[in-house]
């Protein structure tokens, strides 16, 4: 019986491995590890980060050797080392497939929240989510309970969302200068639920989807699991954002069915698309016949008051058939309030609602009522103001701490959003993530936000901690960086306890 459930091609694995920066030598005159050890460490990192799934069949030794330009003996020795460490299993006639040693947790392929029981010993920089802005969450839930009785006498299934919430969301878009009817709104279970529904409707297995490079890791993984072929479009350096000429060329040449962008405080770079960039993106998508999905989950998180917000991306879609907008309460309010929405042409909304009968049927009524209460009473604006103030303080504390403790790391400070995109001074982001777990700080590596191993020299730092905790996070990141620099990030004898 075959033990593997998926397969990784030689060319794909080679691209991911070659993108990894080699581990530095431990000091002047120190020898580099043998080639087989470097190869084994590289594959192990890919498995630990979830970028190569567990139970994935690896290429035959001869195929991988040819793709990497190394000897078959090197690949054979690397596979043997991985078998000895529990990261590979083999059987004659079935090949070799990835595994994790007994007692190790299965790696997450997305950005999974840290279990609550670990929060006391590990600083979690893995997810860009803040605690709920109280007392507004409790007030919203109480308000929802007071409004619940009439709905409790119904079947409770509202595939398009509660009519009252759809009207409120439509009014908010209209107030932003984009006239919108309730028939153009569908309420979803978070932004992930919205984008999943859009991908299933527009981009079947094998279809191309153009994505920013880098882009939001969980959305990239969602699209991969849906069978999409991702077409990366490079972002400009720093906060410059979207290269309109490059986007027009990619959309014309690749003709993707969908394109996905985060124009408002981009995740992970924090860039904000100006009005000209938005207009050009929409024009390029319209010319190519591509549906442009604009993710607005960060749009309300403007942290600097002197920055003027441009009009929504859908404001530049005069015909209303090119842009689909996705919003959510998760970033601006609280990730535990799993309510998102889609704004699109009425016929698109009808198709999404019809398809929902085979998915989740609808978003929980109580959560919709809580969000409606917030938006109807003005509590949303006050809660978001609290969120902005907290994120601004956290950003400033984290920036100061990283600049002090890791002066070689480079980044541009965004004017909004929840994330800092950091170049790690030539160190491997994957190795920093691995060692960070051991020294008590959890950080996602750059390749999670790219395609086929891109951004190995980056990590993403969210604005989720502030004050002394931000400084301690930088201290632990600096400790991880020192371990990576000295080559202590790999090997089965590496330390398993916190050193900071």
């Amino acid at each position: 019986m075959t033990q593997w459930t998926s397969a990784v091609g030689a060319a794909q694995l080679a691209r991911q491995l070659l993108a990894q920066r080699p581990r530095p030598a431990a000091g002047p005159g120190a020898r580099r590890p043998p080639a087989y050890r470097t190869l084994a460490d590289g594959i192990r990192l890919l498995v630990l980060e979830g970028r190569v799934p567990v139970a994935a069949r690896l290429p035959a030794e001869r195929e991988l050797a040819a793709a990497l330009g190394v000897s078959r003996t090197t690949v054979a020795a690397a596979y043997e080392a991985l078998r000895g460490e529990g990261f590979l299993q083999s059987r004659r006639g079935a090949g070799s497939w990835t595994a994790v040693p007994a007692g190790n947790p299965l790696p997450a392929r997305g950005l999974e929240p840290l279990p609550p029981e670990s929060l006391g010993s590990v600083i979690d920089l893995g997810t860009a989510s803040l605690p709920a802005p109280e007392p507004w969450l409790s007030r919203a839930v109480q308000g929802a309970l007071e409004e619940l009785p009439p709905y409790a006498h119904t079947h409770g299934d509202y595939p398009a969302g509660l009519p009252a919430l759809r009207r409120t969301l439509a009014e908010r878009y209209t107030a932003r200068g984009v006239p919108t009817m309730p028939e153009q709104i569908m309420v979803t279970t978070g932004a992930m639920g919205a984008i999943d529904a859009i991908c299933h409707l527009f981009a079947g297995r094998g279809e191309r989807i153009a994505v920013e490079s880098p882009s939001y890791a969980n959305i990239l993984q969602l699209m991969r699991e849906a069978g999409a072929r991702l077409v990366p479009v490079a972002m400009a350096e720093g906060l410059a954002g979207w290269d309109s000429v490059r986007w027009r060329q990619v959309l014309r040449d690749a003709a993707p069915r969908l394109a996905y962008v985060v124009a408002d405080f981009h995740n992970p770079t924090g860039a904000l698309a100006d009005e000209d960039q938005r207009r050009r993106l929409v024009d390029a998508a319209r010319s190519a016949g591509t549906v442009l999905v604009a993710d607005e989950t960060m749009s309300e998180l403007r942290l600097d008051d002197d920055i003027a917000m441009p009009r929504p991306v859908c404001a530049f879609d005069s015909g209303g058939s090119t842009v689909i907008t996705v919003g959510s309460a998760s970033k601006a309010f609280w990730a535990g309030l799993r309510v998102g929405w889609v704004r699109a042409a009425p016929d698109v909304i009808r198709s999404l609602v019809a398809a929902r009968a085979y998915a989740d049927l609808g978003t929980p009524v109580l959560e919709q009522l809580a969000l409606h209460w917030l938006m109807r009473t003005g509590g949303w604006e006050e809660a978001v103001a609290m969120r902005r103030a907290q994120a601004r303080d956290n950003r400033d504390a984290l920036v100061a701490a990283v600049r002090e403790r890791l002066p070689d790391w480079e980044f541009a400070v965004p004017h909004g959003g929840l994330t800092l995109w950091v170049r790690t001074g030539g160190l491997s982001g994957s190795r920093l993530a691995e060692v960070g777990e051991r020294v008590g700080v959890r950080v996602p590596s750059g390749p999670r936000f790219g395609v086929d191993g891109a951004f190995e020299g980056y990590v993403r730092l969210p604005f989720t901690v502030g004050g002394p905790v931000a400084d301690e996070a930088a201290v632990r990141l600096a400790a991880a960086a020192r371990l990576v620099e000295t080559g202590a990030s790999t090997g089965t004898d590496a330390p398993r306890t916190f050193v900071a």
Side-chain angles (χ1 to χ4, degrees):
M1 179 178 175
T2 302
Q3 300 296 310
W4 49 273
T5 57
S6 61
V8 181
Q12 176 190 358
L13 183 58
R15 284 195 301 271
Q16 291 179 291
L17 289 166
L18 292 172
Q20 293 179 339
R21 297 177 183 233
R23 186 176 70 183
R31 295 182 179 180
R32 290 195 177 278
Y36 85 87
R37 183 68 260 171
T38 299
L39 175 55
D41 289 345
I43 294 174
R44 183 171 58 84
L45 276 174
L46 293 175
V47 173
L48 286 172
E49 284 212 320
R51 290 188 283 132
V52 168
V54 175
R57 186 179 187 274
L58 294 186
E61 295 170 2
R62 191 184 303 277
E63 293 174 356
L64 185 57
L68 289 171
V70 300
S71 70
R72 182 178 177 181
T73 303
T74 296
V75 177
Y79 280 12
E80 183 60 34
L82 290 168
R83 277 190 288 269
E85 296 164 9
F87 286 94
L88 198 68
Q89 296 180 13
S90 304
R91 194 176 72 240
R92 185 178 298 277
S96 299
W97 56 92
T98 55
V100 293
N104 280 41
L106 287 175
R109 303 198 70 191
L111 302 182
E112 300 288 338
L114 193 68
E117 61 269 18
S118 301
L119 293 177
S121 56
V122 179
I123 299 174
D124 186 11
L125 299 180
T127 56
S129 300
L130 290 163
E134 288 288 31
W136 292 108
L137 175 62
S138 297
R139 291 180 182 177
V141 172
Q142 183 60 44
L145 288 172
E146 293 173 359
E147 296 179 4
L148 182 62
Y151 295 93
H153 293 292
T154 73
H155 49 64
D157 287 336
Y158 295 88
L162 296 183
L165 181 56
R166 295 175 75 195
R167 283 195 299 272
T168 296
L169 291 168
E171 290 167 0
R172 292 177 70 85
Y173 277 105
T174 299
R176 293 170 66 193
V178 188
T180 303
M181 303 179 295
E183 292 79 9
Q184 291 177 262
I185 301 292
M186 181 177 85
V187 181
T188 63
T189 307
M192 292 288 287
I195 293 171
D196 182 58
I198 293 166
C199 288
H200 278 88
L201 180 63
F202 285 94
R205 186 165 293 275
E207 292 276 5
R208 295 185 180 93
I209 301 179
V211 296
E212 299 145 325
S213 184
S215 188
Y216 178 36
N218 285 343
I219 293 296
L220 294 181
Q221 190 57 37
L222 181 155
M223 292 174 175
R224 290 188 190 102
E225 306 236 346
R229 297 162 60 190
L230 302 185
V231 182
V233 187
M235 297 281 285
E237 286 293 321
L239 301 178
W242 296 259
D243 184 329
S244 302
V245 174
R246 184 177 292 158
W247 268 96
R248 183 172 292 275
Q249 179 180 352
V250 169
L251 295 183
R252 182 191 64 221
D253 294 347
R257 188 71 182 89
L258 286 178
Y260 169 78
V261 298
V262 186
D264 297 282
F265 306 120
H266 175 257
N267 187 354
T269 68
L272 176 67
D274 59 32
E275 293 216 349
D276 185 59
Q277 288 173 321
R278 293 168 190 242
R279 181 181 296 105
R280 290 174 180 271
L281 278 171
V282 175
D283 288 346
R286 183 185 299 113
S287 297
T290 298
V291 175
L292 182 64
V293 180
D295 185 335
E296 288 190 337
T297 53
M298 296 282 191
S299 64
E300 302 215 41
L301 292 174
R302 174 173 58 93
L303 305 185
D304 295 326
D305 294 335
D306 57 343
I307 297 299
M309 289 299 295
R311 288 175 291 169
V313 174
C314 58
F316 302 93
D317 181 20
S318 56
S321 60
T322 298
V323 177
I324 297 177
T325 303
V326 171
S328 171
S330 297
K331 297 298 184 184
F333 186 76
W334 184 48
L337 189 64
R338 303 304 306 162
V339 181
W341 54 88
V342 177
R343 181 202 180 272
D347 62 317
V348 172
I349 294 298
R350 286 193 295 270
S351 297
L352 288 169
V353 171
R356 195 172 195 179
Y358 308 101
D360 63 356
L361 293 177
T363 304
V365 169
L366 191 64
E367 295 189 22
Q368 293 186 72
L369 288 173
L371 179 59
H372 183 247
W373 184 92
L374 284 166
M375 291 182 168
R376 180 174 54 83
T377 62
W380 176 265
E381 284 70 25
E382 295 201 36
V384 170
M386 290 176 59
R387 171 67 74 239
R388 287 173 178 155
Q390 183 181 15
R392 183 187 306 115
D393 290 345
N394 287 356
R395 178 196 63 180
D396 296 346
L398 186 65
V399 165
V402 173
R403 281 177 172 165
E404 178 183 357
R405 305 290 182 177
L406 293 150
D408 293 337
W409 287 18
E410 302 172 37
F411 52 85
V413 181
H415 298 292
L418 288 172
T419 58
L420 196 66
W421 186 237
V422 181
R423 192 195 300 269
T424 56
L427 299 179
S428 162
S430 297
R431 300 186 191 281
L432 283 166
E434 181 196 16
V435 176
E437 295 273 358
R438 304 177 191 172
V439 300
V441 61
R442 184 171 181 261
V443 59
S445 67
R448 286 186 176 272
F449 303 88
V451 177
D452 284 345
F455 307 111
E456 185 61 58
Y458 290 81
V459 294
R460 190 195 72 170
L461 305 180
F463 310 144
T464 52
V465 296
V469 181
D471 188 63
E472 178 62 20
V475 168
R476 297 185 187 193
L477 285 171
R482 288 193 296 272
L483 288 173
V484 173
E485 287 172 343
T486 58
S489 65
T490 60
T492 56
D493 58 345
R496 292 289 177 180
T497 55
F498 298 151
V499 298

